[in-house]
Amino acid sequence: MLYVEILGNLPEMARDEVKAMLELAGGRIAGQDYLFLKIDADERAFPYLNRLGLAHEYGELIVEADSIEELLRKAEEVEWPIKGTFKVDTETMANCRFNVLDLPRKLGAVIHAQGFRVNLSRPDTLVRVYCGERVYAGIRLRFFDPKDFESRKAHHRPFFRPISLHPRVSRALVNLTKAKRELLDPMMGAGGILMEAGLLGLKVYGVDIRPEMVEGAEMNLRHYGIKGYELKLGDATRLGELFDKRFEAVATDPPYGTSATLAGRKRDELYRKVLESIYGVLEEGGRLAIAFPADFDGDVEAEKVGFKLVGKYYQRVHKSLERYFYVFKE
């Protein structure tokens, strides 16, 4: 068994991102305790879990229990797959039912008794304990360093616009499409979604109606070392004229507001035409991940075109912007 600790700002979206990756890997979510997901999968899932955007970490789940005493008893009975030195670290979730104040010392003593050495400053292995409705102990395999994502936020890019999705959210949108080969962003702006897809090794295709955005997106992709891309100046409502192929996945964050960003067109009408255009270039069974402001009925309008709703996630950005992220299937 494995575990994933997801982030708490978009928990339903984070959980479904894990689910989408596990569907590619042949695994499944076996249970959830607040932000802790139990995963029924083996090492074949690692390349897919490594893609996650809305996760804090993942690891190998060693023991779980209904009490501290049971956890310590089970910990004595298992062989801990520890390499080098170790340290025990506790994560007390908002629904924690137990007093875990002294647990790192007690569990550390159990593991130490098996012959492993403790190193509190620079351990080779981090043993993670999670306290929720139950208690869990595992070994961290991968930590998703926030600094990695922060380094790709809009103001760090060579070309940027202040209104841009956080790289973690862009990464999650890519993963929710279950893309394995390629991804199209038909309203790419400065290319934030394409950057995350390209860093995952996907071939990326981008379209924007503004020449400065096409130039700026290419600047950003080059800056982050992405080579497999094809960018076009064009209209997202006429994708069939721009490409003579269909795509397995589309992810995009359309402009939300001013006539400048909408190229002088009415917002809702533009959204409807974009949905029709995307539907026309998606492969059978392909997925679309897209954001719309909350006052646009994205699920209703997409279903009129022929899409099937897979997921819908609410986010309040600030007092004048509330939006939903949608995942649709062709």
Side-chain angles (χ1 to χ4, degrees):
M1 295 288 284
L2 304 175
Y3 74 86
V4 178
E5 181 193 353
I6 56 175
L7 300 181
N9 51 342
L10 285 163
E12 293 85 8
M13 188 170 168
R15 184 183 190 277
D16 282 358
E17 182 193 17
V18 174
K19 181 172 177 280
M21 291 297 93
L22 290 173
E23 285 170 357
L24 293 180
R28 67 183 183 92
I29 296 174
Q32 179 169 0
D33 190 343
Y34 196 55
L35 300 177
F36 182 90
L37 304 181
K38 279 174 56 180
I39 305 298
D40 184 3
D42 56 26
E43 64 272 8
R44 287 173 295 181
F46 294 167
Y48 297 98
L49 294 178
N50 285 337
R51 290 174 50 161
L52 293 172
L54 297 177
H56 180 73
E57 67 178 79
Y58 75 81
E60 183 180 353
L61 180 58
I62 307 297
V63 292
E64 56 181 303
D66 290 313
S67 68
I68 301 296
E69 294 73 28
E70 185 189 359
L71 182 84
L72 292 171
R73 188 172 67 253
K74 286 184 173 180
E76 290 176 352
E77 297 167 358
V78 300
E79 288 187 18
W80 287 82
I82 288 172
K83 296 176 182 175
T85 59
F86 79 97
K87 173 189 174 183
V88 179
D89 191 25
T90 306
E91 190 74 35
T92 306
M93 298 187 289
N95 64 336
C96 177
R97 296 173 51 228
F98 309 96
N99 180 1
V100 295
L101 198 60
D102 205 28
L103 187 53
R105 184 186 64 80
K106 290 178 178 176
L107 181 58
V110 169
I111 299 172
H112 178 67
Q114 292 191 10
F116 299 107
R117 290 187 302 114
V118 176
N119 185 330
L120 298 180
S121 56
R122 297 189 68 181
D124 299 306
T125 301
L126 190 61
V127 176
R128 292 279 279 159
V129 175
Y130 286 85
C131 177
E133 290 294 318
R134 307 184 78 204
V135 275
Y136 312 84
I139 290 177
R140 177 191 280 178
L141 297 176
R142 169 72 189 270
F143 170 63
F144 296 96
D145 192 341
K147 293 176 185 173
D148 179 42
F149 291 99
E150 292 294 319
S151 70
R152 297 193 297 279
K153 285 180 76 172
H155 62 282
H156 292 302
R157 302 169 191 167
F159 176 84
F160 79 95
R161 290 293 180 268
I163 301 171
S164 183
L165 292 178
H166 192 286
R168 281 189 180 272
V169 176
S170 293
R171 174 72 63 94
L173 289 181
V174 173
N175 287 332
L176 285 163
T177 69
K178 296 169 71 171
K180 292 186 287 185
R181 305 186 312 272
E182 63 186 13
L183 182 124
L184 165 68
D185 184 346
M187 306 179 89
M188 66 181 171
I193 290 174
L194 297 183
M195 282 162 42
E196 296 305 312
L199 289 168
L200 295 176
L202 302 173
K203 171 76 183 287
V204 295
Y205 298 81
V207 176
D208 207 282
I209 203 166
R210 295 160 291 177
E212 69 274 16
M213 290 298 177
V214 178
E215 292 172 14
E218 182 168 19
M219 198 184 302
N220 287 338
L221 291 172
R222 284 184 174 177
H223 177 76
Y224 289 100
I226 294 155
K227 296 181 172 66
Y229 63 83
E230 185 178 320
L231 308 182
K232 295 194 177 192
L233 178 66
D235 189 338
T237 67
R238 306 175 77 168
L239 296 172
E241 298 173 17
L242 293 172
F243 298 100
D244 58 358
K245 71 184 296 299
R246 288 178 175 263
F247 298 89
E248 68 163 348
V250 178
T252 194
D253 179 34
Y256 300 146
T258 66
S259 60
T261 59
L262 301 176
R265 293 175 287 191
K266 291 184 178 178
R267 190 198 72 175
D268 289 11
E269 186 59 29
L270 173 64
Y271 290 169
R272 291 187 192 101
K273 287 184 176 177
V274 167
L275 283 168
E276 290 173 7
S277 180
I278 292 171
Y279 190 81
V281 296
L282 257 185
E283 289 179 359
E284 185 177 349
R287 284 189 171 201
L288 161 66
I290 191 168
F292 287 124
D295 61 350
F296 178 75
D297 290 328
D299 42 357
V300 173
E301 297 297 337
E303 285 171 359
K304 285 180 186 175
V305 173
F307 283 110
K308 299 177 185 70
L309 182 67
V310 175
K312 180 179 179 180
Y313 319 98
Y314 170 79
Q315 184 186 43
R316 184 181 186 273
V317 183
H318 46 71
K319 64 181 181 180
S320 59
L321 176 57
E322 297 172 274
R323 66 184 166 203
Y324 284 98
F325 297 103
Y326 297 90
V327 182
F328 299 110
K329 191 175 179 181
E330 192 269 349

